[in-house]
Amino acid sequence: MYISSETDNLGNAIVRFKPTQKGEYIADLKFGGQPLMESPVPMLVEDQNELKRTRAYPVDLKLPFNLSDDEHMTGDVKMPSGNTMDATVINNRDGTVQLKFNPVELGLHELYLKKNGTNIPEKPLYVWVDSKKSRCVRAYGPGLTYGIVGTPALFSLETKWAGKAALSVAIEGTSETEINVNDNHDGTCDVSYVPSMAGEYKIIMKMDEDEIIGSPFTAKISNKDTLTVNTPNDVVLSTTESDIDALYATITA
């Protein structure tokens, strides 16, 4: 196998190798004859053409959208190539919907959801699709895509191929948010955060100093009382006025 190394302007060592066969490899890294802290490093070499024929994880997200029995939601998926496909949206009748589709491409997908034919205000939502055969750290779950203010947003990490690298999670958005990480001791961990303001949140995950594939992820966070166009909406008002006939209200877009 061909292996070469060089040093860049910052003093970092860059190692390149050209595998002749696909499969699992172990990189034994040493400096001055001594093993590096992260060594050995497991790697998987894949056939790029086979990878494109999709061994992608299916997408199955439980998203907090509250639909009444007479409301209907549909989903369109825009793939990295620009091609589109339909997503299945099921009303769970518990304040959530189940969004499902089987990707035929890997990478960042855009989700365009409509309620009764009208685009939701948060469009598009984003979902990163990984390969089933990838031996990289993988993040997945609804909290990487969408959430509601004041409600825990959840996602998971599969870290069994991380070796001895240290995991770090940071979230940047319209409000500061506490991050809770629970190690399941099976090569996975569950992460939750509770956003206090609506807006876009960037979720940045690193193993040591390197971002994982798909990072930063973009989650759209909405208020519970977000109004939808062309749909009847109830707005609750707090008032000390006893004579409600004297009250009037206007809503300005």
Side-chain angles (χ1 to χ4, degrees), residues 35-122:
L36 296 179
M37 183 180 299
E38 296 83 2
S39 182
V41 179
M43 296 181 293
L44 179 71
V45 174
E46 297 179 300
D47 185 303
Q48 189 172 14
N49 293 325
E50 288 184 6
L51 196 61
K52 290 180 178 178
R53 288 197 291 270
T54 202
R55 287 180 171 84
Y57 282 97
V59 173
D60 187 351
L61 298 176
K62 188 175 185 179
L63 301 176
F65 286 103
N66 192 14
L67 300 180
S68 63
D69 289 338
D70 59 350
E71 290 179 322
H72 178 64
M73 182 172 278
T74 58
D76 295 320
V77 181
K78 184 178 180 181
M79 295 177 273
S81 66
N83 295 327
T84 60
M85 64 185 302
D86 294 331
T88 300
V89 184
I90 302 170
N91 185 2
N92 294 324
R93 291 181 167 80
D94 62 356
T96 67
V97 299
Q98 208 75 25
L99 184 142
K100 301 181 180 183
F101 67 94
N102 291 312
V104 296
E105 296 181 9
L106 305 177
L108 187 64
H109 290 60
E110 298 179 2
L111 305 180
Y112 294 84
L113 300 179
K114 293 182 178 181
K115 185 163 71 173
N116 291 352
T118 301
N119 288 319
I120 65 167
E122 296 81 13

Side-chain angles (χ1 to χ4, degrees), residues 26-41:
I26 298 294
D28 187 12
L29 306 175
K30 295 181 179 180
F31 181 77
Q34 298 299 316
L36 296 179
M37 183 180 299
E38 296 83 2
S39 182
V41 179

Side-chain angles (χ1 to χ4, degrees), residues 152-156 171 177-182 190-195:
L154 311 174
F155 63 91
S156 298
I171 298 178
T177 178
E178 182 179 349
I179 304 169
N180 295 302
V181 180
N182 180 52
D190 297 324
V191 184
S192 67
Y193 65 99
V194 182

Side-chain angles (χ1 to χ4, degrees), residues 200-220:
E200 279 195 357
Y201 286 72
K202 297 290 185 183
I203 303 165
I204 304 156
M205 284 173 273
K206 295 182 179 181
M207 302 306 299
D208 287 340
E209 297 300 318
D210 298 321
E211 289 192 42
I212 71 170
I213 295 178
S215 177
F217 300 85
T218 302
K220 302 284 185 73

Side-chain angles (χ1 to χ4, degrees), residues 55-57 106-107 128-132 134 137-139 213-214 217:
R55 287 180 171 84
Y57 282 97
L106 305 177
W128 181 268
V129 174
D130 282 319
S131 166
K132 290 180 181 178
S134 173
V137 175
R138 184 172 77 95
I213 295 178
F217 300 85

Side-chain angles (χ1 to χ4, degrees), residues 57 134 136-140 156-162 187-189:
Y57 282 97
S134 173
C136 299
V137 175
R138 184 172 77 95
Y140 56 94
S156 298
L157 279 160
E158 189 176 274
T159 60
K160 60 185 178 182
W161 293 97
T188 68
C189 59

